[in-house]
Amino acid sequence: GSEVSQESLLLHGPFARKPKRIRTAFSPSQLLRLERAFEKNHYVVGAERKQLASSLSLSETQVKVWFQNRRTKYKRQKLEEEGPDADQKKKGSHHINRWRLATKQSSGEDIDVTSND
């Protein structure tokens, strides 16, 4: 018998998922160094990333993902600081503004999105 069990196919077949990666727990000193590097430059690539990763005993991928996540956090904090007016941007008003530009509508007019005409 060359029969392969269903379970074996799920674990080792062509579509088997990689086991879920364990979340990296950064030490306070690693976080401090990463934050300082982020203050200087929001993007770290190439030799700089390699050097930073090696000096922190992390992989380059861990450093890359930390920077991606940190940029996301930074953008979110910037939006929150802008105040209640920033809510408009988050709710997709840029789509309406692009529509106004494309159709040469003035921003003074309210758009009735419920109308069927």
Side-chain angles (χ1 to χ4, degrees), residues 6 14 20 27 29 36 39 41 43 46 53 61-62 75 86 92 114:
Q6 200 65 23
K20 193 172 177 183
S27 72
S29 62
R36 283 188 182 150
E39 280 174 27
N41 190 357
Y43 292 84
T61 303
Q62 287 171 312
K75 286 172 191 164
T114 59

Side-chain angles (χ1 to χ4, degrees), residues 100-111:
R100 281 188 174 127
L101 283 171
T103 58
K104 297 176 177 52
Q105 300 287 321
S106 74
S107 59
E109 300 172 30
D110 277 332
I111 300 165

Side-chain angles (χ1 to χ4, degrees), residues 22-114:
I22 294 156
R23 183 178 173 159
T24 305
F26 296 98
S27 72
S29 62
Q30 286 172 326
L31 287 171
L32 187 65
R33 290 272 310 278
L34 288 163
E35 287 289 350
R36 283 188 182 150
F38 184 80
E39 280 174 27
K40 291 180 190 145
N41 190 357
H42 291 197
Y43 292 84
V44 61
V45 292
E48 191 181 354
R49 181 165 68 204
K50 191 178 213 126
Q51 193 274 321
L52 184 60
S54 128
S55 73
L56 293 173
S57 305
L58 297 169
S59 72
E60 284 187 63
T61 303
Q62 287 171 312
V63 172
K64 179 188 84 168
V65 171
W66 185 90
F67 269 81
Q68 286 173 339
N69 291 338
R70 188 61 182 83
R71 285 191 297 271
T72 302
K73 179 180 176 181
Y74 175 80
K75 286 172 191 164
R76 182 174 30 82
Q77 287 171 333
K78 288 295 269 186
L79 276 174
E80 285 169 7
E81 284 169 20
E82 286 173 19
D85 295 341
D87 256 15
Q88 282 287 301
K89 287 182 194 145
K90 282 186 262 186
K91 291 196 172 71
S93 69
H94 62 286
H95 293 297
I96 291 179
N97 292 334
R98 284 175 63 190
W99 176 84
R100 281 188 174 127
L101 283 171
T103 58
K104 297 176 177 52
Q105 300 287 321
S106 74
S107 59
E109 300 172 30
D110 277 332
I111 300 165
D112 182 4
V113 292
T114 59

